Amino acid sequence: MNLHNTLEKHVKDAVKSLFQAELKSVEFQATRKEFAGDITVVVFPMLRIVKGNPAVIGERIGQYLQEHVDLVKGFNVVKGFLNIEIDDSYYINFFKNICQIENYGFAEAKDNKAIMVEYSSPNTNKPLHLGHVRNVLLGYSVSEILKASGKNVYKTQIINDRGIHICKSMLAWQRFGNNETPESTGLKGDKLVGNYYVEFDKAYKKEVNDLVANGASEEDAKKNAPILLEAQEMLRQWESGDENVVALWHKMNGWVYKGFEATYQNIGVDFDKYYYESQTYLLGKEFVDEGLKTGVFEKDPDGSVWCDLTDEGLDRKIVLRSDGTAVYMTQDIGTAIQRIKDYPDVGGMVYTVGNEQDYHFKVLFLILKKLGFEWAKNLYHLSYGMVDLPSGKMKSREGTVVDADDLIKEMAETAEEISKELGKLEDYSETEKKELYKTIGLGALKYYILKVDPKKRILFDPKESIDFQGNTGPFIQYTYARIQSILRKSEHLIGENSTADNIDLHEKERQLIKQLELFPEVIQNAAEQHSPALIANYTYDLVKDFNSFYQNVSILGAENKNEQSFRVALSKSVGQTIKNAFSVLGIDVPERM
C-alpha cells in the first residue's frame, strides 16, 4: 500500500469521525515548493459532503491526523489545501522494503485475459522508414508496459503483402531488374524491392506525360498508362493463382521479410505472431451473412451490403461491394475474430496505427460490438501523429523517405561524433566503443520519440536528441552509468545492512525516496493510458532528483559507514529503477559511459 492509499484511508476515517460523513475518494497533489509538506489533500471536493469553511475543515482533519496517525508529523493549511508532513520513518521503512527488489515497480502477471498488441504492419513494397519507427517503438513499449503492469501480452503484426502496390514493385523488377537479387547487389531485400517501387513510379510518370503530350487528358492518362494497366493485370493474375506471378510474389516477398527481420533485430523489437494480408483478405465475409440475419447489416438494391451507423453519429459503411468482393473493413472484422480463435485467452486488442485511421477504428470497433462480441468493448486504437523532419515530409514513391536502417546508423554516428568531442572513452576498445555508440544512438532515438504523447506530431531532430544535457535519452543513460561508477567504487558497502533507523533523512534523500515510491503507480497509469511518455518523463524527473542529491549530499564521503551504506543503497535503487523504466521503453543502459 503506497502513501496515497494509506493516507486516503486515514482521511476518510477523519471525515467520518469529525463530520459523520462518508467520502468516496480523496484528491491529493504534490505540495507546492513554497510550503512545508510532502503531500497535499485538496479540501474543496469534500464540500459537496462536508459543509463549512474549507480552511477550517482542513485544520480539523490535520489535527485529527497528527493525533491519530503515526506517520503524520505535522501539517499546515493554506486556504483549502491541507499540506501534510510525513515522518522520516515512513520513507525509511518503505525504502527498506524495496531496496533489494530487482523488478521493483513491475506487478506480477495475473491469471487474467491477455491483450494482443498489433504494431508495425508494413507493406512489402518498401523498407521500414521513420514513420514505421514511431509505430514500432510505441507498439513494443506499450506491450512491455502492459506486461509490467501485470497483463499477459501477445505482440503481433499484419503484413500487407498483397495488392496493387506490391505488383508495382514486382512488375518494375521484371522490366528493369535484369534478375538482380539481394545477394548479387549486396542490398537488403526490402531496400532492393523498395528501389523498384520508385522505378515503377518514374516509368509511370513518364508514360503519363507522354500520353498527355499526345493529346490525352491528364485524368485519362493517369488511368490508362500502359505500365499501370499491366500492374492491374498482374494483380488479377495473382488473385486467380497464376503460377508464375505467385512464384515471383513469393520470391520478392521472401527478400523483404529477411530485410524486415534484420531491421527489427537492429532496433530491438520482436513479435509473437505474424499475420499476412494474403491469408486474411477473404476473412470476414461469413460474418456479413450473420450480420444480415441479425439486422446489423442491410443490403442495398445493387447487392452491396452496408452497416448504418448514423444513429451513432457516424456514416453508413460498406462491408461488401455489389460484386461480392470484400473491403478493408470486412477484412479487419474477420482478422480480429480470427485472432480470438487463435488465442482464446485474448480479451482485448491494441491497434498501433496512425491518426489518419481514427475514423476507421471507430467504425470497426462499433461494428464488432454490434455483432455481439464481448471482447469488442476492450479494443483500443493507439493513435499517433506523424513524424516530421527539419527537411520536410517524406514520400515513399518518390524515394524521399528516411530509411529506418539509415536512421539507426546515423544515430550511432552522431553519438560517436559527440562522444569523441567529450573525450571520455580513451580506455575503451574499438568494439566496446561501437557497441556504446549504438546504445547511445538508439537510446536517443527511442527516448526522443517516446517522451512525446503519442497523439502529438513530432519534429524529429537527430542532433538535438543526442544532447547529453536536458530531457534526452543520453542524459539519463549517463546518470545511470554514473551510478554504476559509484557502486563499483563502493563494492565493500553493497549488501551491508545499514541501520537506517538512526538516520535523519536529508531533504534530497527524502525527495528521491518519494520519487521512487511513485514508480509502480506510474507503470499502472502508463498501461491504462497506453502512454510510454509517462514512463519517459517520470524517469527524467527521477534522474533530475538523483543529480540534485549527488550534488548536495556526499555519498562516499558521508560522516559514518552507516550513512555511506544507506546512500549507496539508495543510489543502487535509483539505478535499478532507471534500468527497469528504460527496459519497458526498449532502451538499454550502459554500465560505463
Side-chain angles (χ1 to χ4, degrees):
M1 188 177 282
N2 64 19
L3 183 58
H4 278 201
N5 295 337
T6 305
L7 273 182
E8 182 167 46
K9 177 185 176 303
H10 291 307
V11 171
K12 285 178 177 177
D13 289 345
V15 170
K16 188 172 184 180
S17 174
L18 296 169
F19 308 107
Q20 292 73 56
E22 298 273 354
L23 284 180
K24 286 187 179 175
S25 63
V26 180
E27 185 179 328
F28 293 100
Q29 64 183 36
T31 303
R32 286 168 59 175
K33 287 193 170 113
E34 59 264 37
F35 303 120
D38 298 292
I39 190 166
T40 296
V41 177
V42 185
V43 178
F44 296 108
M46 300 179 191
L47 299 182
R48 291 191 295 267
I49 296 165
V50 182
K51 302 303 177 189
N53 182 306
V56 173
I57 293 167
E59 192 74 33
R60 291 188 65 189
I61 293 171
Q63 286 170 353
Y64 178 97
L65 294 175
Q66 191 165 10
E67 288 169 15
H68 294 86
V69 182
D70 290 340
L71 65 87
V72 175
K73 75 171 184 184
F75 72 94
N76 63 86
V77 178
V78 181
K79 297 181 180 177
F81 298 91
L82 168 59
N83 304 317
I84 298 171
E85 295 177 62
I86 302 300
D87 192 79
D88 282 355
S89 60
Y90 172 82
Y91 293 115
I92 288 168
N93 287 334
F94 162 78
F95 180 68
K96 281 180 176 178
N97 289 331
I98 64 114
C99 66
Q100 297 299 327
I101 302 174
E102 274 199 23
N103 62 344
Y104 171 64
F106 296 171
E108 285 186 27
K110 304 175 189 80
D111 185 21
N112 56 12
K113 283 288 188 182
I115 297 174
M116 183 171 276
V117 182
E118 176 195 295
Y119 56 96
S120 191
S121 304
N123 295 325
T124 55
N125 64 323
K126 56 193 173 190
L128 301 175
H129 57 62
L130 178 56
H132 290 117
V133 169
R134 186 174 198 191
N135 182 304
V136 165
L137 296 182
L138 276 173
Y140 177 83
S141 181
V142 165
S143 302
E144 294 301 308
I145 290 167
L146 287 167
K147 277 188 201 172
S149 76
K151 302 285 194 302
N152 296 309
V153 177
Y154 298 109
K155 305 171 192 168
T156 191
Q157 65 170 316
I158 181 161
I159 297 175
N160 302 306
D161 64 340
R162 62 170 287 277
I164 188 66
H165 51 290
I166 311 298
C167 291
K168 287 176 180 179
S169 293
M170 290 162 58
L171 180 59
W173 182 83
Q174 270 189 331
R175 277 202 183 185
F176 314 120
N178 297 316
N179 290 314
E180 68 179 16
T181 67
E183 289 74 24
S184 69
T185 59
L187 285 174
K188 277 175 80 237
D190 51 337
K191 286 185 170 51
L192 180 67
V193 172
N195 288 346
Y196 284 102
Y197 185 59
V198 175
E199 286 304 314
F200 177 93
D201 191 60
K202 286 180 187 171
Y204 170 67
K205 281 179 177 170
K206 182 178 185 308
E207 289 186 358
V208 168
N209 290 336
D210 289 347
L211 288 169
V212 170
N214 288 321
S217 71
E218 189 173 343
E219 187 181 346
D220 284 344
K222 285 181 175 178
K223 286 180 188 171
N224 297 309
I227 196 168
L228 176 63
L229 298 178
E230 201 174 333
Q232 289 169 343
E233 176 57 28
M234 180 178 271
L235 179 59
R236 282 190 284 274
Q237 290 172 342
W238 180 88
E239 289 182 349
S240 64
D242 179 280
E243 203 173 295
N244 292 329
V245 171
V246 170
L248 176 61
W249 173 79
H250 274 300
K251 176 164 71 176
M252 291 181 71
N253 274 351
W255 295 343
V256 174
Y257 298 149
K258 280 186 181 174
F260 285 170
E261 279 308 310
T263 303
Y264 292 141
Q265 192 171 358
N266 205 13
I267 207 167
V269 301
D270 59 2
F271 300 89
D272 300 308
K273 172 73 175 175
Y274 291 78
Y275 287 88
Y276 298 88
E277 194 179 307
S278 57
Q279 296 165 6
T280 64
Y281 78 104
L282 298 176
L283 293 177
K285 288 176 76 172
E286 61 184 286
F287 295 99
V288 173
D289 291 335
E290 283 293 316
L292 282 168
K293 287 176 193 168
T294 58
V296 174
F297 301 140
E298 56 192 23
K299 187 175 280 193
D300 277 10
D302 67 354
S304 59
V305 180
W306 298 74
C307 185
D308 188 353
L309 302 171
T310 50
D311 286 348
E312 282 83 4
L314 304 175
D315 297 327
R316 290 178 86 229
K317 181 67 185 178
I318 191 167
V319 292
L320 212 61
R321 297 188 187 95
S322 56
D323 62 2
T325 56
V327 294
Y328 268 111
M329 184 60 68
T330 328
Q331 175 185 313
D332 282 354
I333 291 166
T335 303
I337 296 164
Q338 185 61 46
R339 286 170 173 173
I340 302 294
K341 288 178 182 174
D342 294 343
Y343 295 90
D345 60 328
V346 166
M349 297 181 219
V350 175
Y351 293 82
T352 312
V353 183
N355 57 16
E356 69 277 5
Q357 294 294 327
D358 284 353
Y359 185 79
H360 174 85
F361 283 101
K362 275 184 192 171
V363 172
L364 172 64
F365 298 168
L366 192 49
I367 290 176
L368 287 165
K369 281 178 191 170
K370 284 178 172 288
L371 288 170
F373 294 106
E374 180 65 20
W375 43 264
K377 69 178 187 292
N378 298 320
L379 300 177
Y380 183 83
H381 174 205
L382 177 51
S383 173
Y384 63 90
M386 286 183 64
V387 184
D388 297 313
L389 289 157
S391 56
K393 195 172 178 181
M394 301 181 292
K395 294 178 183 173
S396 302
R397 65 176 65 89
E398 293 176 14
T400 60
V401 298
V402 176
D403 180 282
D405 298 308
D406 293 343
L407 178 62
I408 292 167
K409 184 168 177 277
E410 183 191 334
M411 294 301 292
E413 287 169 354
T414 306
E416 178 176 4
E417 182 187 314
I418 293 171
S419 297
K420 281 179 176 174
E421 284 173 16
L422 295 173
K424 293 176 181 285
L425 305 177
E426 290 85 356
D427 58 337
Y428 279 56
S429 70
E430 282 307 309
T431 304
E432 286 172 328
K433 284 179 183 176
K434 290 294 177 194
E435 194 58 39
L436 181 61
Y437 300 146
K438 185 181 175 186
T439 298
I440 295 171
L442 264 180
L445 170 66
K446 292 180 180 184
Y447 187 83
Y448 196 94
I449 286 176
L450 293 174
K451 74 176 180 180
V452 178
D453 183 288
K455 292 180 177 60
K456 291 183 180 173
R457 199 164 179 152
I458 293 178
L459 179 67
F460 178 70
D461 184 336
K463 278 220 184 281
E464 187 182 306
S465 73
I466 302 187
D467 194 339
F468 279 77
Q469 297 296 323
N471 191 5
T472 66
F475 173 66
I476 294 169
Q477 288 173 319
Y478 184 75
T479 301
Y480 176 84
R482 167 182 277 171
I483 291 170
Q484 301 319 298
S485 173
I486 293 167
L487 298 183
R488 284 191 294 273
K489 290 173 186 170
S490 56
E491 284 180 7
H492 59 291
L493 295 171
I494 295 173
E496 283 201 11
N497 290 324
S498 161
T499 54
D501 301 319
N502 302 321
I503 287 174
D504 290 325
L505 287 180
H506 188 283
E507 61 174 300
K508 299 297 182 183
E509 293 170 325
R510 188 183 302 106
Q511 180 55 34
L512 257 188
I513 297 172
K514 281 163 69 175
Q515 194 68 18
L516 286 172
E517 191 194 25
L518 294 175
F519 185 49
E521 187 182 341
V522 172
I523 290 277
Q524 295 299 324
N525 289 341
E528 193 177 314
Q529 297 178 41
H530 303 87
S531 178
L534 295 181
I535 306 282
N537 289 295
Y538 163 83
T539 312
Y540 177 55
D541 288 340
L542 177 63
V543 161
K544 280 194 299 182
D545 284 338
F546 177 81
N547 284 322
S548 180
F549 159 76
Y550 179 80
Q551 286 157 14
N552 288 279
V553 179
S554 179
I555 299 173
L556 299 180
E559 287 184 9
N560 56 62
K561 197 172 180 183
N562 189 35
E563 278 191 353
Q564 274 187 347
S565 298
F566 175 73
R567 289 172 185 175
V568 166
L570 182 55
S571 301
K572 185 181 179 187
S573 282
V574 171
Q576 188 62 52
T577 305
I578 293 169
K579 187 174 187 177
N580 291 352
F582 262 30
S583 74
V584 298
L585 300 179
I587 302 175
D588 290 330
V589 282
E591 296 299 306
R592 296 191 301 154
M593 248 173 105

